[in-house]
Amino acid sequence: MALSKNCIKYIRSLELKKNRKAEWLFIAEGPKLVGDLLGHFPCRMLVATPEWLAQHPVTDAKEVIEVTDNELSRVSLLKTPQQVLALFEQPDETTDTTIPQRELCLALDDVQDPGNLGTILRTVDSANLKQIIVSKETADSYNPKVVRSTMGAIFRVNIIESDNLIDTLKNMKKHKYKIMATSLETQNSIYDVEYNKKVIVIGNEANGVSKEILELADKKVKNESLTMEALESKLADLKKEQMNQRFQHAAGQMPKTHVMRQTRRE
């Protein structure tokens, strides 16, 4: 099938959030990213060069269009097209307030920059947290820039879009989660916080965490300390600590009464 003008117009229209929501699709480009996502999201359309198709003769795409490099450049959102572009179906929208099964959860309060959101999703994935809550006004998780910057992490992280983040956090407090919010009005360091049953709220780049959520928070941590490097380091430490605890418990090295006391303190 040839790449028609209408097809080009249709693909390029998915740069806009309203069109992605209406069609329930998102764009991914490049051999690595498309390869990571194939098999994890239904593929509505795949546009690729003969070289890429020769290396991937079997795909589960509903429609495959073979194109030249020049034709691919007409539809690609990248300055330098990379052999393949795919339209994937977004997963069913998750807007409930399901309580995370992990001891630590991140919540995003109107984070606007797609690159920041992609980095956060990648960090969450590297820490094996699997789940993140985003406010309704946070950047679209399926923005092409977000998808690219996650480097494939987007299919491993369950993204819960909350229609009302304050209500979601209140619900989590009922389930014994403590809310931590970043703020300039504190000397508490993110490095000094125990993370069992905690929700870290990361705020808007310009305005920070909203006043309502700050009032709801059980503790505040320094805003300037919550860089992505600091967060990734802390989450990595938490992951190691959890693995050590599971190993010690399995080996019978951690007394059961000690584990129970830790649970009661939380």
Side-chain angles (χ1 to χ4, degrees), residues 110-160:
D110 297 358
V111 171
Q112 296 295 297
D113 184 84
N116 287 344
L117 177 55
T119 300
I120 292 169
L121 290 172
R122 196 168 68 245
T123 301
V124 167
D125 175 54
S126 70
N128 201 32
L129 296 186
K130 302 301 183 186
Q131 195 157 263
I132 189 169
I133 300 170
V134 300
S135 67
K136 196 170 184 178
E137 297 305 318
T138 289
D140 180 20
S141 300
Y142 296 98
N143 179 305
K145 292 180 181 178
V146 174
V147 174
R148 283 198 300 273
S149 62
T150 66
M151 299 181 181
I154 195 164
F155 78 84
R156 292 185 292 269
V157 178
N158 181 31
I159 303 168
I160 299 175

Side-chain angles (χ1 to χ4, degrees), residues 228-245:
M228 287 303 102
E229 292 80 6
L231 179 60
E232 188 163 9
S233 175
K234 188 64 177 177
L235 295 183
D237 289 343
L238 175 69
K239 185 178 179 182
K240 290 178 182 177
E241 179 183 341
Q242 290 175 334
M243 290 177 66
N244 288 337
Q245 288 178 351

Side-chain angles (χ1 to χ4, degrees), residues 94-108 124 128-134 157-162 165 167-179 195-201 238 242:
T94 306
T95 56
D96 61 28
T97 56
T98 301
I99 301 303
Q101 299 303 308
R102 302 278 167 164
E103 291 296 303
L104 175 65
C105 180
L106 262 65
L108 307 185
V124 167
N128 201 32
L129 296 186
K130 302 301 183 186
Q131 195 157 263
I132 189 169
I133 300 170
V134 300
V157 178
N158 181 31
I159 303 168
I160 299 175
E161 183 176 308
S162 172
L165 184 57
D167 286 348
T168 298
L169 295 175
K170 286 180 178 178
N171 185 38
M172 296 188 73
K173 283 172 74 78
K174 291 179 182 178
H175 288 78
K176 309 303 182 183
Y177 274 79
K178 300 292 185 182
I179 309 300
Y195 277 171
N196 289 333
K197 298 208 77 167
K198 299 294 192 303
V199 182
I200 304 176
V201 183
L238 175 69
Q242 290 175 334

